[in-house]
Amino acid sequence: MYGSKKVLALIPARGGSKGIKKKNIVLLDGKPLIAYSIEASLRSKYIDSTVITTDSREIAEIAEKFGGRVPFLRPAELAQDKSKTIDAVLHAIRQLNIKRENYDILVLLQPTQPLRRTEDIDQAIETYFKNGERPLVSVSLVNDHPLLIRSIDEEGTLKPLLSCNSTCRRQDMTVYYRVNGCIYINKIAEINSKVSLNDNEIPFIMARENSVDVDEVVDLAIAEYYLLSK
């Protein structure tokens, strides 16, 4: 709880995945991937409840083993490759309301970002409230500067992403950030099917080494490297 506001942490973890089989529960340094997000949430001084929304009984059992709550299973139609996270969020909020569990603030924690720290979560929540409860999203510095990114048109010609001269010293380049998927914070009363969490307006800047997104097998190796080097 932050002041008088009840805070819900929601971890979306569907059973299916493409790049890595059973990605949300694949082992990272001997521990299921989802466990890192659950444990970081449980250590938060502001989060009142850590709920996992999943369609998988296997994920549910593992999540509960590490202290997460799974008070319902997500319908299969909300756990497909093309399913939207916001729909899973709305379903979870409705199910909790049916159980007379009402919260004011949503903190969405994706399980594929295992290096997000409890300190990141709590500082993000503090940043959210200091900015008048405007929607917040975590970001980190881009690895590849957009000034040097190109697309190729139908004629095979390179086209710059930014319409400006790229002859520029790196230290003079405008600083850009990317949405890293680690933390999203929204007022629950303002969440609807048209909300795009990636477009939340207040930034919470995180270190790159805490922002690893596990999508492919190589990402597991990168995450393990940072995990073991701490």
Side-chain angles (χ1 to χ4, degrees):
M1 185 172 288
Y2 191 99
S4 62
K5 302 295 180 69
K6 291 189 65 177
V7 181
L8 167 70
L10 189 64
I11 301 177
R14 68 188 186 93
S17 57
K18 285 186 175 180
I20 302 174
K21 185 177 181 180
K22 296 184 178 182
K23 177 173 62 177
N24 289 318
I25 53 175
V26 68
L27 295 183
L28 173 62
D29 192 31
K31 185 187 296 185
L33 195 67
I34 194 172
Y36 291 90
S37 295
I38 293 172
E39 291 177 340
S41 177
L42 291 175
R43 289 192 296 266
S44 169
K45 58 186 175 183
Y46 300 124
I47 290 174
D48 296 285
S49 183
T50 300
V51 172
I52 291 78
T53 168
T54 183
D55 60 312
S56 165
R57 293 190 181 278
E58 183 179 15
I59 290 178
E61 291 175 3
I62 291 173
E64 290 177 335
K65 177 183 176 182
F66 285 91
R69 296 180 56 228
V70 190
F72 51 82
L73 286 179
R74 192 195 312 179
E77 61 268 22
L78 296 180
Q80 305 303 309
D81 289 342
K82 295 184 179 180
S83 297
K84 296 180 179 179
T85 298
I86 193 65
D87 292 331
V89 168
L90 289 169
H91 171 265
I93 292 171
R94 286 194 298 269
Q95 292 302 307
L96 290 170
N97 286 343
I98 289 172
K99 296 177 181 295
R100 297 186 179 181
E101 290 189 40
N102 299 300
Y103 300 89
D104 302 293
I105 306 300
L106 170 73
V107 179
L108 186 73
L109 306 173
Q110 297 190 136
T112 48
Q113 279 76 13
L115 305 185
R116 170 211 312 104
R117 307 169 305 162
T118 299
E119 293 91 333
D120 293 320
I121 296 171
D122 284 348
Q123 288 171 17
I125 292 172
E126 291 166 2
T127 300
Y128 169 81
F129 280 101
K130 287 177 182 176
N131 283 275
E133 298 183 49
R134 291 157 65 194
L136 175 147
V137 63
S138 59
V139 298
S140 54
L141 281 169
V142 296
N143 291 318
D144 300 309
H145 199 281
L147 194 64
L148 302 177
I149 293 177
R150 303 288 185 271
S151 62
I152 301 177
D153 65 16
E154 295 178 354
E155 298 177 354
T157 303
L158 287 172
K159 297 296 182 182
L161 179 65
L162 302 179
S163 57
C164 57
N165 194 315
S166 62
T167 303
C168 178
R169 298 186 308 162
R170 181 168 292 276
Q171 56 266 41
D172 293 331
M173 291 181 177
T174 302
V175 177
Y176 285 92
Y177 299 87
R178 69 176 183 87
V179 172
N180 63 19
C182 290
I183 305 169
Y184 301 86
I185 306 181
N186 292 70
K187 185 180 297 184
I188 287 179
E190 296 177 351
I191 297 176
N192 58 59
S193 60
K194 295 182 180 179
V195 167
S196 173
L197 300 177
N198 284 327
D199 292 325
N200 284 357
E201 58 184 316
I202 299 300
F204 175 71
I205 302 172
M206 290 178 56
R208 285 177 180 167
E209 59 267 27
N210 297 332
S211 306
V212 176
D213 179 11
V214 176
D215 187 45
E216 301 176 352
V217 174
V218 66
D219 300 323
L220 279 172
I222 295 171
E224 187 167 16
Y225 168 79
Y226 281 123
L227 183 66
L228 298 179
S229 63
K230 290 185 177 182

